[in-house]
Amino acid sequence: NGTTEEVKKIVSLLNAADVPSQDVVEVVVSPPYVFLPVVKSSLRPEFQVAAQNCWVKKGGAYTGEISAEMLVNLDIPWVILGHSERRAILAESNEFVGDKVAYALAQGLKVIACIGETLEQREAGSTVDVVAAQTKAIAEKISDWSNVVLAYEPVWAIGTGKVASPAQAQEVHLELRKWLQTNVSPQVAASTRIIYGGSVNGGNCKELAAKPDVDGFLVGGASLKPEFIDIIKSAEVKKNA
């Protein structure tokens, strides 16, 4: 989304916002590649910047792709990998996403790794199997989870206006935490943030944030609007719990 002018407006809104301190909420914004330098240079320093994707290995003859090394060179600390749109439209497999996560981490980037099921998979009752397989493909390639945030985003709730109910989100997040506990370690299960994405907005963020295993949000359309500030502030629900 966006033009330079629109992006500057969003940055101004964020720069002026009164939001909780960094010990309460970590804010990361992820503009398209072409706007990364302008956002990085103008956004308040405690808000971090992420790229929306990066290539699976060292740069080279992969026209149109952006390497992890380039992001490091631009001093971009975060990258989002495995977003459902890339999995669905560009056919990125679980293994390919796992390789991407491992390579980005090896270059020193922090990763928001996305997982989630389609409507057909949910209706077939295979949600937990699907997200476990996606998580397993990442777990098989990495040993250090300290720079990984897992983002659960049910594909059927992205841009559709449908939202997983707080109970549905909590159920899947809890299953993911159990999976990490059993298959990685109790320490990783306890310390890894599992965030929810899928039609999060100013109206539903507090109820979702109150769930014990929902550790934050991956915000889509609402991040382009003033209500993004309300979503950031919903982190205080956890602080006050």
Side-chain angles (χ1 to χ4, degrees), residues 90-140:
L90 298 161
E92 294 194 2
S93 68
N94 292 352
E95 291 66 35
F96 187 66
V97 173
D99 286 335
K100 275 188 162 186
V101 171
Y103 191 79
L105 290 172
Q107 303 317 304
L109 292 169
K110 297 177 182 181
V111 174
I112 297 166
C114 303
I115 56 178
E117 84 286 12
T118 63
L119 186 59
E120 294 75 21
Q121 288 165 333
R122 173 164 279 273
E123 287 177 343
S126 57
T127 294
V128 174
D129 292 339
V130 169
V131 296
Q134 291 168 334
T135 308
K136 180 172 184 268
I138 295 166
E140 285 175 341

Side-chain angles (χ1 to χ4, degrees), residues 128-187:
V128 174
D129 292 339
V130 169
V131 296
Q134 291 168 334
T135 308
K136 180 172 184 268
I138 295 166
E140 285 175 341
K141 301 280 168 60
I142 70 171
S143 54
D144 182 0
W145 284 76
S146 56
N147 286 326
V148 179
V149 170
L150 268 187
Y152 168 60
E153 37 156 33
V155 181
W156 47 273
I158 297 170
T160 59
K162 289 181 183 172
V163 188
S165 69
Q168 284 174 316
Q170 166 59 21
E171 181 186 15
V172 178
H173 284 227
L174 179 59
E175 289 299 331
L176 283 165
R177 214 174 290 286
K178 283 187 199 160
W179 190 92
L180 289 173
Q181 188 164 4
T182 306
N183 298 281
V184 183
S185 76
Q187 189 270 327

